[in-house]
Every structure is written in structure tokens, then in C-alpha cells.
Amino acid sequence: MEGRVPADLAVVPDDLAVVVDADGAVLVWSAGARRLLGYEPAEIVGRPARSLLATELPASARRHIAGAYRWSTEVALRHRNGDRLVVRLQGIPLADAGARPLWLVTAAARTAVSGRDQPGAGALWDFTLAQLPMPVAIYDRGSRLVSANEAMTRIMGLPVAEMRGLTLREIESGPPFDEYDRLQRQALRTGRTIFHEQHGQAPGETREHAWSMYFCPLKDETGTVQGLSAVVFDTTEQYWARRHLAVLNDASLRIGSTLDVTRTAEELAEVAVGGFADYVSVDLLESVALGDEPGPLPPGEPITVRRTAQRSVLAGCPEKVAEPGDPIHYPVDTPPMWTLLAGHGTRQRPGDPGMPEWIGSSQARADSVARHMIHSVLMVPLRARGVTLGLVHFLRHRTPESFTEDDQRLAEEIVARAAVCLDNARRYTQERRTALALQRSLLPGRPPPGLEATEVAYRYLPTGCGADVGGDWFDVIALSGARVALVVGDVVGHGIRASATMGRLRTAVRTLADVDLAPDELLTQLDDLVIRLAREEDPETTSGEVGATCLYAVYDPVSCRCTMARAGHPPPALVTPGGAVRLLDLPAGPPLGLGGLPFESTEVELAEGSLLALYTDGLVETADHDIEVGLGLLRRALAAPAAPLEETCDRVLHTVLTDRPADDIVLLLARTRALDAGKVRTWQLPRHPAAVAGARKMAGQQLEAWGLTDASFATELIVSELVTNAVRYGDGPIALRLIRDASLICEVSDGSSTAPHLRRARVYDEGGRGLLLVAQLSERWGSRQTPTGKTIWAEQPLPTSTLA
């Protein structure tokens, strides 16, 4: 060896001392090096010095070597037996070595750290990596395995010696190793740590495992990536806990989206299938399925439930033994009855006590268990507010694991949440059915018979959402003088209370209509009634807290005039015989229940064949558009060519409604008719007793002209009494009018507003028998106020032969 050792470096015989040429080959191998690393000189001299390195030299050391500068660094060397030794090496360029210097590389024996004696920080670090309970592997810059601890070799299934120097694709091909190799190369390329989660079954296990993996690039002090570490954590328990939480979260979000018993049961089955069970069926007590209140379970007696929902991981639910809606019988002393009576879930296997008898009680059930190899059954009762609603069956046949105690707790929590939703749906169904029955009983079933003034068609649509039925109503009322009243109203609020209020208002409108009040006066009386009703329910209620809207119209087919008034209700639409459509400009008026504000009537002349459209705001005001858009759609629907009223109703609903209605809807269509002039006869009478005989004679002649001579006697008596009262107690002018409509109507008008009073005359009274006689001879009679006084009227049924 040429050159000399620098004076400041003393090499003792036990020190590692190696001379390396400019090409990196070992020229001299000292006895200290042999003792430290175990290699004989013949084994190492001439070989590259880098083969002794367990890790590469840091970049700083390589730069010093390139510049022929002295260097010092800590590095791991590889012992002949495979141990790693961490030492601090010093490299000294030899001055007399010529143009390409030789290097003297030394390490003091006392600083060398062995894995077998005198462990230092580096060795302890190696021990830590090797003995960590989580799998760890080290890869070089080419993604080749350098080393792996024992936990990793157990996962890989191969010893380190067989895997060292190989990439993951070379160790094991196919998924998921191809993906791991790709992620490793990505981490080496980008220098960024990559997290990856893998789910699957380990060899020999049936339960799915989960592993969280970190691929971390290893960098030197300059930030250059020199290799990669892969660390794997077994997160199976956390994975299953997350899956259980996900099922619970899914159940919270999906179960109970509607207030429908059947749909809620279907949502429960959908949530549990796939992520928890392979087949789920929901059986409800028959009373619950119908929306009624369930009673207590009869001890010692079989019960019948109704299959309400079922779901399977297999298409078509081949495991089913019944169709939705079919009855299922639970005999006494069977697992389903045990579960219902116990009030908590039970886990069963097909061979457990009681199961063979239960399975064998139905041939379809026995065939299903055998064919699909159902091996685990979990039954959980549906209970809410201390009441049993039904039973849920969870079955496994594709999932190899049986239901565990944790599974049972999860199922019980899911079912408990679903039971509350089912009970809410059941209560809603019961209340809605009651409200609908109440509301429909209060609405007219069909237009009044013999209605000649108008042709009527209507649609009533109760809301289909969870807001419950509302207080919308309509009515068609036959009035005196062949007139007809059209009514549409809407009570604020929903539910039974609104329906009950609607019924009271409808009854009040009918009563006030019989009195023949003008539309504005009728709404004033109705306004007072709404205020009284609100105060009866709650004395603290102030005006406006409970209210309603209403539109009241009276059409007279004799004059072809319609008088209307509205209380905060949408305006009616009018379609002329020519097809023009317009909204009638009526004074809006305040909603009912405010009190103290006036209502105004408007009179409109309608040509024969005109169409009036009355409706509630649910038709034209929806969530997706405001009332102006809805009114535009209504006008467009009504502007279509004339059609039968039933078809027109359907066309309006199809055009205006763009989605499921959020409120009750009433649509009332009325096509006007004019009473033929030949069916009406009017006479002006003087206020003189002699007018009675003349009126009686003229009435008889008119009846003869109409072919109603059979009604002459009764009609002449009625005319005589009514005209006599008008002459004696009324004021001028006096008029007599006969109308031949669905009935024979006799009207006598005078200028007095004094209403007649029916009383029973005493034996010696000279008067008081006239109205009593009229009441006996007519089918119905009454009086109404007019702008100039009053009109007393009486109706008689026409003989059957004259009705054609």
C-alpha cells in the first residue's frame, strides 16, 4: 500500500481499517475488520466496498468522496451472518496515492454496534422495527424488498430470505398486490406518503378483515428519496364498528321518509339487506297493518300477522314463503311467539330447540331453508311505546358467519328506530283516515237533484303528504226561485280540527242560504261565527288566529245574473260561450275571522252557457310556483275548446298540477243555463182586495196553458192566501210570479220588509190560517228579502206525467 496514514489518525489493531481504491474495490482488509464483520480477507479483497453497506452512504459523504475530501458519517454495515452493524466511518484520502486517491476507511472497534453484544441506539432501533406487532417492510428505490419484520412475513406467507430483492409483483401477482406495487412506486416517485385501506378475507378465515396501509418514502438529509417503508395496521374491529354505525346512520336517514306503514316496513327491509342480512321479512300485527291501535298479545294463544315487506340479496326474493299482504300464523310455543312475548331479539339456528317444528310447520318454509342453506336466524320484535307492533326476521345464507351478540344489539337498535317510525305512520294513518271520513261525510256527495239553473262538476283532492287533510270544502245549494248557490271555502290548518271547523261552517252556510241572505250579508254572519268558534275553543284566542276563506255566489237562471262576494278567497274564473277566459274582478274582502271589516257583493250578467270556475288556493299555489303562475295555467286550461265538464275538470288538474299537491284542492265548475221565457209568467197587481180574485184567475189560466190543471186547486189557494197577505199587511208594488222548473214555484213580492210569521190560529180567530194553509199545500215555502222589500214563495212538486 502506497501513501501514509495521516498523523492525526492512530489506527489500533482492533479497529476496522480498510483501504479502498478509486473504483471502490477493497485493497486491504485489516484483522479488526475481520473480527468486526466476520469476513476473511480472501472473501472480501477485490470486491466492491459498497457490498458491505446495509444502507447507502448519505449524499454528503458521496460529495466529499467525489471532491477527495475527508468525510465522516454513521452507516449500517452488513455482517457475514446477516446482522446489521451501525458504525461511524471515517474516510481519509491518502496523499501519496497519485492522481486518483486511495481511501483509508476506519471505524473504532468500541463504536461498532453489534446486534449481539453492546447494543446502541441503532441496534435498538433495528430491534424495534423487527419486533413491532404491526407488519413493517422496507423497500429500496427500485421498490425491491430490503427487509420485513416477523409480523409482515406472517401476512406475506414467505420468509424474508425468499422475498429480499423482489418487488411485490414478483412476490405475488394479481390483485391486490398489483395495486400495492403501484402505490409504492407512486410514493417513491412523488415523495409523498400514501394511505390505502384494504378489505378482504385472510386465508383460512371467514370474517372480512380490514387493513390500513401507509406507504412512506424514506429520505436522506438532503430530501432525496432513498427507499420506502410500508406499515400495515389491522383495523378490522374499527372497520366493523364503522359498518355498524353506517347501517345505523343509513337506517336513521332512510327509515320513516313517509308516513305510510307499508313503505316504512319496506325501508326497514331495504336498509338491513346486503350490509347486515341476506334476507329480511317484516310481519306486522293485522291491526297495525290496517292503521288501528294494537292490543296486548293474548298469552297462550296463536296470533296472525301480515307479511308487510321482504327483501333479499337475491333477485325476486326466492327465500320467501309468502307474498306481501298474506297472513302468517304464529302457533303457540314456537320461536316467533317466544320472541314476541320476551320483548327482545333471539338468535336461532335451524337445529335449535323449537326451530325444526317451526320450520316444518310450513312446507314452503322447510323447502326454502333446505334449498338456500339458511344457517342463522335473528328475530327481533317491533316495539314502540311499550306496545308490540310485529316481528322482523333476519336470515343469513350467503354470509358464512352466524349472527353474533353484536349483530343482535345492532339489529335491535335498527328495529327500535323503525318501530317508532312505524307507530308514527300507524297513528298518522288512523288520524288521516278519521279526518278523511269526517271531511267526506261533510261534503256533498252529488249535486242536488233536479237542478235546472246550472250543470255542475267538481273535483276534491285531499293532500297526499304528511301535512294531513285540510279544511277545504264546497257546496251546491238549491235556492228558491230556481236559483242556485255555489260555495267554495278553505279553513286555515289541517287535520281533524280543521275538518270539524269546515263542517260547522258548511252547515252554517246552508242555514244562512235558506234564509236567503245576500252574499255580502251571508259572509258577514259567517265572519262572526268563525270568531265565536275560535273563542269557544280558546277564550284567549284573538281575532285572526283561527280563520277561513270563502267565495259565495248566487245565480238566477231567470235574470241570468250572478251575485258574488268573497272573503279573502281567490277570484273565480269566467269562460264566456265564445271561449274567452278572465278572472272576475271582485272585491277581495278580508278572510273570515278578522271581524269588523265589510264585505262587498258584485253582480255579473252571464250569457247562457257561460262557465264559472271556483277553486281553492291549493290548485294554483304550490311549492314550485307562485299563485300568478298557477292562475296563468288555469286560464290556459280553461281556454281549450269546450268539452263536457267532467273532461274539463280532468284537463284543468292535469295542466295546473305539476307535482303532488301539498294542500287540499277543490275545483268546482258550473255551466249556466237560462230558464225559458215560456216557463216564467209575472203579473203586477194593484194593492186592492179585488186583486186577489184576478190573481187567482190568471194563475189558473196559466196552469191550464202549461198542462198543469191537476195543480190548479192547490195553486189557486196558495196564490189567494199570499196575495191576500200582501194586500192586507204589505206595501206596494205587488207582483205575482209563477215558475215552472223542476217544481212549480209561486212567488208574491211586495214593498214591505216585514217577514211573515207562521202561527196556529185559535178557534174564534178570524185570521192567522193563511200561511198554515200554504205550508200544508206546498212541499216547502219561505221568504227572502229583496232590494225593494220581500218575496214569499211556495213550491209544489209537479205531477210525474209533466216532468218530461
Side-chain angles (χ1 to χ4, degrees):
M1 179 180 70
E2 298 181 359
R4 61 183 180 81
V5 178
D8 59 345
L9 182 62
V11 180
V12 298
D14 288 337
D15 288 344
L16 179 149
V18 179
V19 176
V20 181
D21 66 13
D23 294 324
V26 176
L27 299 180
V28 177
W29 187 254
S30 70
R34 180 181 60 78
R35 284 189 293 273
L36 189 63
L37 296 179
Y39 294 99
E40 296 295 333
E43 295 178 289
I44 205 69
V45 172
R47 290 178 54 187
R50 65 174 178 272
S51 64
L52 300 172
L53 299 176
T55 59
E56 293 192 12
L57 287 174
S60 59
R62 295 198 301 272
R63 288 196 300 270
H64 282 71
I65 292 172
Y69 300 118
R70 181 172 179 172
W71 54 270
S72 175
T73 186
E74 189 174 85
V75 68
L77 302 179
R78 183 177 290 109
H79 193 276
R80 191 173 184 275
N81 63 11
D83 286 345
R84 287 161 48 92
L85 303 170
V86 180
V87 300
R88 177 161 287 281
L89 295 180
Q90 296 184 61
I92 308 297
L94 299 180
D96 299 335
R100 300 182 69 194
L102 303 178
W103 290 91
L104 174 63
V105 181
T106 64
R110 62 180 178 274
T111 65
V113 179
S114 150
R116 296 181 177 177
D117 56 292
Q118 202 176 359
L124 292 176
W125 178 249
D126 289 346
F127 295 159
T128 301
L129 290 176
Q131 300 175 26
L132 277 174
M134 71 280 298
V136 180
I138 307 297
Y139 298 84
D140 63 16
R141 287 182 295 183
S143 195
R144 295 180 292 270
L145 181 72
V146 174
S147 184
N149 66 357
E150 183 179 353
M152 179 65 83
T153 60
R154 284 198 301 269
I155 291 181
M156 302 288 286
L158 294 171
V160 175
E162 295 184 22
M163 298 186 292
R164 184 179 288 118
L166 302 177
T167 65
L168 276 176
R169 285 183 176 176
E170 295 169 340
I171 296 172
E172 184 73 38
S173 61
F177 292 93
D178 291 347
E179 177 66 9
Y180 299 159
D181 186 78
R182 186 190 68 80
L183 294 173
Q184 286 182 355
R185 296 180 185 278
Q186 180 181 339
L188 288 168
R189 184 177 66 255
T190 62
R192 296 178 181 175
T193 298
I194 294 177
F195 171 76
H196 177 70
E197 193 166 30
Q198 178 68 35
H199 309 132
Q201 290 182 355
E205 296 187 356
T206 59
R207 191 186 189 197
E208 193 176 43
H209 270 64
W211 294 275
S212 294
M213 305 177 183
Y214 292 88
F215 300 102
C216 306
L218 302 176
K219 303 177 182 179
D220 59 22
E221 61 269 21
T222 66
T224 302
V225 176
Q226 301 294 343
L228 176 82
S229 67
V231 184
V232 180
F233 297 91
D234 189 342
T235 56
T236 302
E237 295 305 320
Q238 296 92 320
Y239 166 72
W240 282 102
R242 288 198 306 271
R243 285 192 62 173
H244 285 183
L245 287 175
V247 173
L248 284 176
N249 182 63
D250 194 29
S252 300
L253 294 176
R254 294 174 57 187
I255 299 176
S257 62
T258 66
L259 287 172
D260 180 82
V261 173
T262 300
R263 182 57 193 148
T264 303
E266 290 173 349
E267 289 168 345
L268 168 58
E270 291 168 2
V271 165
V273 163
F276 182 73
D278 299 323
Y279 173 79
V280 177
S281 64
V282 181
D283 296 341
L284 298 180
L285 300 180
E286 288 193 296
S287 57
V288 177
L290 296 174
D292 297 330
E293 189 73 28
L297 294 177
E301 296 182 20
I303 64 171
T304 299
V305 296
R306 195 163 294 278
R307 179 61 49 86
T308 307
Q310 54 191 3
R311 192 81 170 186
S312 171
V313 294
L314 304 176
C317 290
E319 313 94 321
K320 65 187 177 184
V321 297
E323 296 291 342
D326 289 348
I328 304 290
H329 301 286
Y330 289 170
V332 178
D333 203 24
T334 57
M337 284 298 297
W338 298 342
T339 304
L340 286 174
L341 294 175
H344 58 75
T346 60
R347 285 171 286 142
Q348 310 283 343
R349 291 178 178 271
D352 289 348
M355 285 296 289
E357 293 78 9
W358 162 245
I359 294 172
S361 64
S362 166
Q363 187 61 47
R365 187 179 297 112
D367 293 343
S368 178
V369 171
R371 183 170 65 255
H372 298 284
M373 292 185 289
I374 296 170
H375 63 86
S376 186
V377 179
L378 175 59
M379 303 180 190
V380 182
L382 280 157
R383 289 178 58 84
R385 303 176 179 94
V387 177
T388 299
L389 307 176
L391 186 67
V392 184
H393 298 256
F394 302 92
L395 277 60
R396 281 183 177 175
H397 50 76
R398 288 296 183 92
T399 303
E401 287 190 318
S402 298
F403 288 108
T404 64
E405 187 175 347
D406 287 342
D407 293 330
Q408 180 177 329
R409 284 195 292 267
L410 173 63
E412 287 176 341
E413 188 164 354
I414 294 173
V415 171
R417 297 186 183 191
V420 174
C421 297
L422 276 169
D423 195 49
N424 290 339
R426 178 196 61 77
R427 293 185 174 199
Y428 166 79
T429 300
Q430 184 181 38
E431 182 177 342
R432 186 171 189 271
R433 188 171 62 237
T434 302
L436 276 174
L438 173 62
Q439 191 174 42
R440 291 189 184 280
S441 68
L442 296 173
L443 293 173
R446 58 179 61 88
L451 192 65
E452 298 292 334
T454 56
E455 177 191 358
V456 175
Y458 57 83
R459 292 291 184 272
Y460 168 67
L461 301 179
T463 178
C465 68
D468 215 337
V469 295
D472 292 19
W473 92 91
F474 69 98
D475 212 342
V476 180
I477 307 170
L479 301 178
S480 63
R483 297 170 304 143
V484 63
L486 306 173
V487 191
V488 172
D490 183 3
V491 176
V492 174
H494 295 84
I496 293 179
R497 181 177 177 181
S499 295
T501 302
M502 174 270 288
R504 300 173 77 174
L505 292 182
R506 178 172 177 265
T507 302
V509 169
R510 278 191 162 268
T511 302
L512 295 173
D514 284 342
V515 181
D516 248 325
L517 293 179
D520 56 342
E521 295 178 7
L522 184 142
L523 292 181
T524 300
Q525 296 293 330
L526 206 59
D527 184 41
D528 293 338
L529 175 62
V530 171
I531 295 174
R532 288 200 303 273
L533 291 177
R535 289 176 178 170
E536 286 175 5
E537 293 181 2
D538 184 2
E540 303 297 325
T541 299
T542 59
S543 297
E545 290 189 16
V546 178
T549 65
C550 184
L551 173 63
Y552 184 78
V554 176
Y555 173 68
D556 186 350
V558 176
S559 64
C560 293
R561 303 189 70 83
C562 184
T563 306
M564 293 174 277
R566 61 183 178 128
H569 203 81
L574 172 64
V575 184
T576 66
V581 182
R582 64 186 177 96
L583 295 176
L584 295 178
D585 186 18
L586 306 181
L592 300 174
L594 293 181
L597 298 174
F599 300 94
E600 298 181 48
S601 291
T602 299
E603 190 173 70
V604 180
E605 186 170 353
L606 303 178
E608 184 177 6
S610 298
L611 179 65
L612 277 175
L614 285 65
Y615 50 90
T616 55
D617 58 0
L619 177 66
V620 295
E621 190 172 10
T622 62
D624 58 350
H625 60 248
D626 58 22
I627 191 170
E628 292 301 325
V629 175
L631 290 174
L633 294 173
L634 175 63
R635 286 193 294 266
R636 188 175 73 187
L638 293 174
L645 290 188
E646 294 294 334
E647 293 182 15
T648 304
C649 283
D650 294 335
R651 184 176 66 231
V652 168
L653 295 181
H654 179 75
T655 303
V656 179
L657 297 182
T658 58
D659 199 356
R660 170 184 286 185
D663 196 4
D664 284 7
I665 290 175
V666 166
L667 173 64
L668 176 61
L669 299 182
R671 181 168 285 132
T672 63
R673 296 169 176 161
L675 202 60
D676 187 90
K679 293 184 178 182
V680 182
R681 188 64 189 273
T682 305
W683 298 274
Q684 298 296 324
L685 304 176
R687 190 182 175 208
H688 190 277
V692 176
R696 188 166 55 242
K697 180 180 180 181
M698 289 185 290
Q701 292 173 347
Q702 185 60 51
L703 291 182
E704 185 178 356
W706 283 341
L708 300 177
T709 54
D710 290 345
S712 296
F713 178 76
T715 303
E716 290 178 4
L717 284 177
I718 292 173
V719 169
S720 178
E721 294 300 330
L722 294 183
V723 173
T724 298
N725 282 343
V727 171
R728 182 177 297 177
Y729 305 110
D731 201 354
I734 300 174
L736 169 64
R737 184 167 71 169
L738 292 181
I739 301 174
R740 180 185 176 180
D741 191 28
S743 59
L744 179 61
I745 304 170
C746 176
E747 295 182 345
V748 175
S749 304
D750 65 77
S752 172
S753 59
T754 304
H757 177 64
L758 180 65
R759 64 183 179 87
R760 185 172 296 279
R762 296 182 179 88
V763 176
Y764 298 105
D765 287 349
E766 295 183 1
R769 296 178 177 84
L771 289 181
L772 181 61
L773 183 61
V774 170
Q776 295 296 320
L777 293 174
S778 61
E779 187 175 51
R780 65 189 189 114
W781 73 280
S783 67
R784 64 176 182 269
Q785 298 295 317
T786 65
T788 59
K790 69 175 181 297
T791 296
I792 304 176
W793 54 270
E795 291 186 7
Q796 303 173 71
L798 291 176
T800 306
S801 60
T802 64
L803 292 178

